Amino acid sequence: MKEYIRIIVFVTILGTLTSALLVGMDLLTAERIKALAAFQVQSTVLNAYGITNFSTENVNQVFDENIETIEINDLVFFVDSSSGAVSFEFVGNGVWGPIEGVLTLESDFTTIRSIAILQQEETPGLGGVIEEPAYLAKYEGAQIAPSIRILRNANPDDPNEVDAITGGTRTSERFEIILNEAYSVHRAAWDERMRD
Amino acid sequence: MKLIRLKYTKWYNISKDGLSKNNPIVVAVLGICSALAITNKVDNAIAMGIGVTFVIMASSATVSLIRRFIPSKVRMVTYMVIISSFVIAFQMFIDAFFPAIAAALGPYLGLIITNCIVMGRAEAFAVKNPVRYTLVDGFANGLGYMYVIVSISAVRELLAFGTILNYQILPDSFPTWTVMAIAPGGFFVLGLFIWLIRDVTKNYEFS
């Protein structure tokens, strides 16, 4: 009996101390992590419009000067004041974990201006190629409407087709689904706003 | 003369155990899952090696510090709780202050929890030894793990991408071996590496 009481006391103390360590660590870092995530989104959007003269201190100001943030049905759109191009975030399931990124479309809402990946957990060296700018450059100028197809041996004359990742077939399949789903959802909301 | 005396010091023997005689990967064959998963790029292997070394040292030192109070029935759970706490704290720290490294490591940082070397050192060494020796032991085992995965990843990255640390080494005309970038390639290289090291160190197992 005495032994069990000792175990319970030990486990309680251990649990309290380790939880305290983690709560303390969270208090120390949570705000920084949140700020870094917001900075990542803002800097990605700004980079998509070729605006690079900002730092962590003045990013909010530069962002507000150049980008108009529009919220429609809980979906957030970032519109470039000068060109009318539109960016929005997308997220979906990749092979090993979520793929998050920012899709930027020209003002016609169908031509892809750029894609940037914020977070992915694909196989390094295979599906992980998805975040490399050299691969994402293939999407520039492609048409996402009515839908985009990511294929092996894509036809370079067809604006709806983009090359898949060599050795990353399943990542490419998932990415196609993520892009098309994000596009149709955002397109519906965008069209609704245009009608109003 | 000094060298001979060195051979009888405890910390020298502990280091030798971790680095070669009882190397966690080559001899004990522990931590294989991470050794296969992250060894297709050298930079991932280095970052993982540093992370694992830190976690082994920190968790072993803690286990050693409270070794007289741990009830033997719940000791495994205790190790697990301590290791997970350190890994999560380390992950939060890296996320907040070194976002570039966190992005490069991706999910592997959290997977240090599942590395059996950390638990193995806590049970085999830390719970029976004073803190200063557990630090030496943790460091030696971490380095022993690190140099093996870095060597494996150098072979794999060179054959799979023609690069080392993302610098082009082989000419573009070299036909890259995709198999080296995926898990089977890891098995081949790891198996050959264990064979080589065991043959060189004359470490044979007889049944």
Side-chain angles (χ1 to χ4, degrees):
Chain A
M1 198 58 207
K2 222 175 168 187
E3 201 199 341
Y4 286 110
I5 294 171
R6 215 185 125 216
I7 291 176
I8 290 169
V9 169
F10 177 80
V11 170
T12 315
I13 294 173
L14 181 76
T16 316
L17 287 180
T18 49
S19 315
L21 172 78
L22 292 183
V23 169
M25 206 63 195
D26 188 57
L27 287 176
L28 271 178
T29 57
E31 217 152 277
R32 266 190 90 97
I33 293 174
K34 219 172 155 191
L36 279 168
F39 173 71
Q40 213 193 0
V41 174
Q42 289 181 327
S43 63
T44 310
V45 172
L46 288 171
N47 281 328
Y49 298 126
I51 303 164
T52 49
N53 55 341
F54 60 89
S55 64
T56 38
E57 283 86 44
N58 68 359
V59 66
N60 281 319
Q61 191 198 341
V62 174
F63 194 82
D64 290 340
E65 275 169 18
N66 294 287
I67 314 282
E68 191 193 344
T69 307
I70 303 173
E71 214 170 300
I72 311 164
N73 303 344
D74 297 331
L75 298 173
V76 182
F77 296 85
F78 304 108
V79 183
D80 181 24
S81 319
S82 54
S83 67
V86 185
S87 300
F88 52 84
E89 281 182 76
F90 62 84
V91 60
N93 292 327
V95 177
W96 301 122
I99 298 179
E100 279 179 53
V102 173
L103 173 63
T104 304
L105 300 169
E106 298 290 358
S107 50
D108 61 2
F109 216 81
T110 51
T111 311
I112 296 176
R113 182 159 176 162
S114 72
I115 296 179
I117 301 295
L118 295 173
Q119 198 213 331
Q120 56 89 13
E121 296 172 6
E122 302 310 295
T123 321
L126 298 175
V129 169
I130 198 161
E131 68 173 8
E132 288 176 10
Y135 174 71
L136 292 168
K138 287 177 190 289
Y139 289 82
E140 283 166 23
Q143 301 281 331
I144 198 163
S147 68
I148 196 160
R149 291 185 297 280
I150 302 174
L151 302 169
R152 181 179 186 171
N153 299 325
N155 178 3
D157 297 327
D158 187 337
N160 285 117
E161 292 188 359
V162 180
D163 274 322
I165 302 165
T166 312
T169 311
R170 287 204 296 147
T171 300
S172 307
E173 285 167 5
R174 298 290 174 90
F175 195 47
E176 182 183 292
I177 296 169
I178 293 168
L179 286 181
N180 285 325
E181 276 181 0
Y183 179 69
S184 62
V185 170
H186 285 82
R187 174 87 208 207
W190 189 253
D191 286 349
E192 200 176 296
R193 169 178 171 264
M194 290 292 144
R195 270 201 303 275
D196 289 345
Chain B
M1 198 57 211
K2 241 186 168 170
L3 199 74
I4 297 170
R5 241 183 280 148
L6 188 75
K7 280 195 167 183
Y8 294 99
T9 56
K10 188 163 180 184
W11 63 266
Y12 173 85
N13 284 309
I14 295 169
S15 312
K16 199 179 142 200
D17 257 14
L19 288 170
S20 64
K21 213 175 126 226
N22 273 320
N23 185 288
I25 295 188
V26 177
V27 180
V29 200
L30 285 176
I32 296 301
C33 344
S34 58
L36 292 171
I38 50 105
T39 52
N40 56 6
K41 289 255 173 142
V42 176
D43 43 1
N44 289 340
I46 292 174
M48 186 70 171
I50 293 171
V52 168
T53 308
F54 167 79
V55 172
I56 301 180
M57 288 174 75
S59 61
S60 292
T62 314
V63 168
S64 168
L65 203 66
I66 59 166
R67 68 185 186 283
R68 292 186 210 289
F69 309 108
I70 302 177
S72 62
K73 275 192 181 157
V74 291
R75 65 184 197 288
M76 286 293 174
V77 184
T78 309
Y79 307 153
M80 213 61 242
V81 170
I82 291 172
I83 295 165
S84 327
S85 308
F86 273 115
V87 172
I88 297 168
F90 184 60
Q91 192 167 17
M92 285 174 176
F93 176 75
I94 295 280
D95 274 346
F97 296 98
F98 300 98
I101 296 179
L105 276 176
Y108 299 125
L109 209 54
L111 288 180
I112 296 174
I113 294 176
T114 64
N115 195 315
C116 11
I117 301 171
V118 186
M119 190 106 159
R121 288 335 287 172
E123 170 71 2
F125 195 89
V127 82
K128 301 169 199 152
N129 287 280
V131 177
R132 61 182 188 283
Y133 291 126
T134 58
L135 287 173
V136 177
D137 176 72
F139 187 67
N141 274 279
L143 279 191
Y145 171 77
M146 187 160 153
Y147 84 78
V148 173
I149 59 170
V150 169
S151 326
I152 295 171
S153 63
V155 175
R156 287 180 68 186
E157 189 176 340
L158 192 66
L159 293 176
F161 307 105
T163 60
I164 289 206
L165 284 170
N166 296 328
Y167 289 108
Q168 194 77 34
I169 304 277
L170 295 175
D172 275 339
S173 55
F174 177 78
T176 53
W177 304 11
T178 308
V179 67
M180 280 298 166
I182 52 182
F187 268 109
F188 296 141
V189 179
L190 183 65
L192 290 171
F193 198 82
I194 290 178
W195 178 24
L196 176 84
I197 297 286
R198 285 192 174 202
D199 216 57
V200 168
T201 58
K202 307 255 184 300
N203 183 318
Y204 303 117
E205 281 172 31
F206 300 101
S207 52

